[in-house]
Amino acid sequence: MVLQSRRRVVIPARRRGMRVNAREWPFWSLPRSVRWYVGLVTLAALGAAATTVDLMPVDRLALIWFAALAVAAVAHLEVARGIERMREIAAEGTPHAHLQSIWIFAALLLLPPPLVVAIIVVSYTHSWLRVYRRRTLLYRKVFSAASVVIGCWCAGAVILAFHPHASGPFVSRLDGPFGLVALAAAALAYWLVNLGLVIAAIIFTNPSRSGREAFGHLSDQLIIGASVGLGTAIAVMVTVQPWLTPVLVFTALALNLGLLLPQFAAASRSDQKTGLLNATFWHELAGKELLRSSRLRSPAGLLMIDLDHFSSIDDRYGHPVGDAVLRATGTAMRAESRPDDLVGRFGEEFVVLVPGVDADALREFAGRICERVRQIEVVVESNGAPITVRGLTVSVGAALYPQMAATLEELLWAADNALFAAKDAGRDQVRMVRSAPLR
């Protein structure tokens, strides 16, 4: 679950050398409705676990399968932990596609419910301690684990509805075409319930965020589908030819690393503080975009944007809050930008390359960014009392290609000069080369 919104960012502030007691946990800084929602989902997960304790006996074979799946889940996280940290950062604000669904869904099909819950606890505890090294808030992991428990409960209920009188592990009940339908329905229930609970949490926390924004990228959900499929294959292999299972486990690790490495490469091209394109990658893409504009004889605009008086925010509230302001500003720019606009960090400034615009369209776009930034609020928790940082503004320099520059370097130089003109004119405004100030 992500508790960062387009306009409100909750950041816990701790004094150095002071012990933080339970009353100062970041959970208590959440809106009351969000706290209630997180609490109810957690209680529902505990209730779901309690109602299924006696559904299947926990025998010696189940304990062996449990140990094998727990080791595989931990090994998977250890192998991919560096990439997983980057993926969770990149997924901030959307559901994080947790690849442990391979082992969790396999556990659902193989193990009694108490051991399924134990697998979930092992997986999420290990990820919090080792993968994210406690850098993510604990209540997020508790909520995520609770949503997976409920998803597993619903998936198990679907299989029981198809085979109410069968006994043994769920995987033994999935035989023939009817079993395939039951499996597909169970996988759909697992996915939709878990996803729905997380999206609801994001929207509760960020009321201005649309459902489409909270859903995130479809590719992440496809990864969950692939993980469920691999988990099913592992469960079947364990019951049919258990000594061949290590081959499938290796395949699962290799396939998932293959899926993750392109995302890791993309993450390495992003600015760590904002998630925008970093200077090197932005410069590379912007150069290619200008070449294409030249071939198409199409104009392009460049905005260079600087947060007004940002150093005073850093000095007053500290770097964590300053970083939150930068993230919120980057989010605001992406929200106003089109999919083919290139938004990035360039030194201390933000830059946006806007293909196919004339002077009037570029001014209008810059004005929308200024207005969006003015609406940003950053809420800081300090000593149990919220402190709100608002009234943010930006100065913007604008330049057009090819009217004002023939190369990317010249375009950057022109936009930089216009940015300084906006600052000299009083800030909180847009200046275009050889144009009047715009508010």
Side-chain angles (χ1 to χ4, degrees):
M1 185 182 73
V2 177
L3 298 179
Q4 175 175 313
S5 71
R6 177 161 55 94
R7 297 185 182 177
R8 295 177 64 84
V9 182
V10 179
I11 300 293
R14 299 181 178 181
R15 292 182 177 179
R16 293 182 179 179
M18 291 184 66
R19 185 184 300 274
V20 178
N21 61 39
R23 294 178 179 273
E24 295 174 335
W25 287 354
F27 175 77
W28 301 111
S29 67
L30 298 174
R32 179 177 295 180
S33 59
V34 178
R35 296 201 305 267
W36 272 102
Y37 178 73
V38 171
L40 287 174
V41 169
T42 304
L43 288 175
L46 293 173
T51 60
T52 55
V53 167
D54 299 325
L55 188 62
M56 301 177 197
V58 179
D59 55 19
R60 181 172 176 271
L61 183 60
L63 291 173
I64 293 173
W65 286 346
F66 165 77
L69 289 174
V71 169
V74 168
H76 183 191
L77 283 169
E78 284 294 317
V79 170
R81 64 179 183 175
I83 300 173
E84 277 295 300
R85 276 199 297 271
M86 296 296 292
R87 288 186 69 246
E88 179 151 316
I89 292 170
E92 185 75 7
T94 59
H96 173 49
H98 201 295
L99 296 173
Q100 292 296 289
S101 289
I102 294 175
W103 318 109
I104 293 170
F105 202 76
L108 169 69
L109 297 179
L110 285 170
L111 303 179
L115 295 183
V116 177
V117 174
I119 285 285
I120 295 170
V121 171
V122 167
S123 173
Y124 277 87
T125 301
H126 182 80
S127 69
W128 186 64
L129 293 175
R130 286 284 296 163
V131 179
Y132 309 111
R133 297 179 182 177
R134 306 183 190 182
R135 293 175 185 173
T136 190
L137 297 174
L138 178 58
Y139 67 81
R140 293 187 182 185
K141 288 300 174 189
V142 171
F143 175 86
S144 297
S147 68
V148 172
V149 169
I150 296 173
C152 287
W153 186 92
C154 293
V158 168
I159 296 176
L160 283 174
F162 277 86
H163 301 278
H165 304 298
S167 60
F170 286 148
V171 68
S172 64
R173 312 178 190 201
L174 304 176
D175 188 26
F178 199 60
L180 177 61
V181 173
L183 175 65
L188 189 63
Y190 171 83
W191 173 61
L192 288 179
V193 170
N194 185 18
L195 179 66
L197 290 171
V198 174
I199 287 179
I202 294 172
I203 294 175
F204 267 127
T205 309
N206 309 276
S208 61
R209 198 177 189 88
S210 68
R212 178 64 189 86
E213 290 176 318
F215 180 83
H217 298 290
L218 179 61
S219 60
D220 287 333
Q221 303 311 317
L222 292 176
I223 289 175
I224 291 294
S227 299
V228 168
L230 284 169
T232 302
I234 289 172
V236 172
M237 183 67 78
V238 164
T239 58
V240 177
Q241 292 289 346
W243 292 109
L244 298 181
T245 304
V247 176
L248 202 53
V249 171
F250 175 79
T251 302
L253 290 171
L255 285 176
N256 278 273
L257 287 175
L259 288 169
L260 291 173
L261 285 174
Q263 295 191 19
F264 183 71
S268 69
R269 299 167 177 172
S270 302
D271 175 69
Q272 291 185 351
K273 291 184 179 180
T274 63
L276 304 177
L277 301 175
N278 63 27
T280 301
F281 192 47
W282 182 91
H283 196 279
E284 176 186 343
L285 293 182
K288 292 177 180 178
E289 185 60 50
L290 286 190
L291 286 175
R292 187 173 70 169
S293 295
S294 177
R295 289 196 301 268
L296 297 175
R297 298 179 183 273
S298 174
L302 176 67
L303 302 180
M304 186 167 287
I305 305 165
D306 188 46
L307 269 167
D308 296 330
H309 309 295
F310 176 70
S311 59
S312 64
I313 296 173
D314 251 353
D315 293 341
R316 182 175 181 182
Y317 298 109
H319 294 299
V321 178
D323 291 347
V325 170
L326 290 175
R327 285 194 297 272
T329 304
T331 301
M333 292 180 189
R334 279 185 296 193
E336 287 296 342
S337 302
R338 304 168 304 179
D340 55 343
D341 296 337
L342 300 178
V343 187
R345 288 292 301 282
F346 205 82
E348 296 298 319
E349 288 81 31
F350 298 88
V351 283
V352 187
L353 185 70
V354 191
V357 293
D358 58 17
D360 291 336
L362 187 61
R363 289 191 189 98
E364 181 182 357
F365 175 59
R368 292 201 307 270
I369 287 179
C370 290
E371 182 58 31
R372 175 82 67 154
V373 171
R374 293 185 192 110
Q375 297 173 12
I376 292 173
E377 293 181 0
V378 177
V379 180
V380 186
E381 185 207 11
S382 180
N383 299 326
I387 299 174
T388 302
V389 180
R390 60 165 63 93
L392 300 171
T393 62
V394 289
S395 299
V396 184
L400 280 173
Y401 170 89
Q403 294 91 326
M404 301 171 185
T407 66
L408 178 58
E409 285 68 29
E410 292 177 1
L411 193 65
L412 285 165
W413 180 85
D416 191 53
N417 282 344
L419 173 61
F420 275 100
K423 290 181 178 181
D424 291 340
R427 304 177 189 266
D428 189 20
Q429 58 185 273
V430 178
R431 277 288 180 106
M432 183 174 286
V433 175
R434 295 190 296 274
S435 74
L438 171 70
R439 280 193 174 272

